[in-house]
Amino acid sequence: MSETTASAPAASAASTITPAASGTPSSARHHRARTALRVVQVLLALFYAIASALPKLIAHPSASEAFDELGWGSAGMYTIGVLELAGAIALLIPVLQSVAATALGALMVGAFIVQVTAFEGENAATPLILLVPLALIAWARRAANNELWGRVRRGV
């Protein structure tokens, strides 16, 4: 048997392997990017649930004082706390993750405006920093919006 005849079956077998199955660098890179985005989602969910919503929901003095200074009182504080907690939970639910990131992003725009106008810019960078990963999540997970919209239209 010649070299060309012996290598032909091996060449045809190699050509039937799909890029994803062969572990190409692009598929590995795509997997790492999806994993990294999921880690960011989990970290943001933990941040919103523990560091942001919890102090409001337990009426921690620092949160109470800030909302009293705004004139929003405990009703405003609890409302924002519930919205942040709901967003944190929704960031972890695949069909809601893009909408949650968008909603939390809108909340951060409001937080930035409040920080600049009512608190003279103190801590105004925090909502802006949080907007970056939220926008990334909203954009990267936007395909879930079609599934969500389909469920809403079906009444599920």
Side-chain angles (χ1 to χ4, degrees):
M1 199 187 276
S2 72
E3 275 183 47
T4 56
T5 332
S7 63
S12 68
S15 66
T16 61
I17 297 174
T18 63
S22 66
T24 63
S26 65
S27 67
R29 190 171 36 244
H30 180 71
H31 177 71
R32 284 192 305 269
R34 287 180 49 205
T35 302
L37 188 62
R38 190 66 178 162
V39 168
V40 169
Q41 284 177 242
V42 170
L43 291 174
L44 279 173
L46 288 170
F47 170 80
Y48 277 106
I50 297 169
S52 196
L54 185 63
K56 293 171 184 83
L57 296 175
I58 64 170
H60 189 273
S62 64
S64 297
E65 291 167 7
F67 279 89
D68 287 341
E69 187 176 332
L70 285 170
W72 294 3
S74 60
M77 179 180 64
Y78 290 127
T79 300
I80 298 295
V82 166
L83 290 172
E84 289 175 340
L85 183 59
I89 293 167
L91 273 176
L92 303 175
I93 300 171
V95 74
L96 298 176
Q97 55 199 358
S98 179
V99 172
T102 302
L104 286 170
L107 201 59
M108 291 302 97
V109 169
F112 172 76
I113 292 168
V114 167
Q115 290 295 328
V116 169
T117 58
F119 296 110
E120 300 170 5
E122 184 182 338
N123 299 321
T126 303
L128 290 179
I129 292 167
L130 290 169
L131 269 173
V132 174
L134 289 170
L136 178 65
I137 292 166
W139 181 80
R141 305 293 195 196
R142 68 192 181 280
N145 293 340
N146 292 334
E147 182 183 348
L148 180 62
W149 181 245
R151 287 183 181 195
V152 168
R153 285 200 278 154
R154 287 191 309 269
V156 178

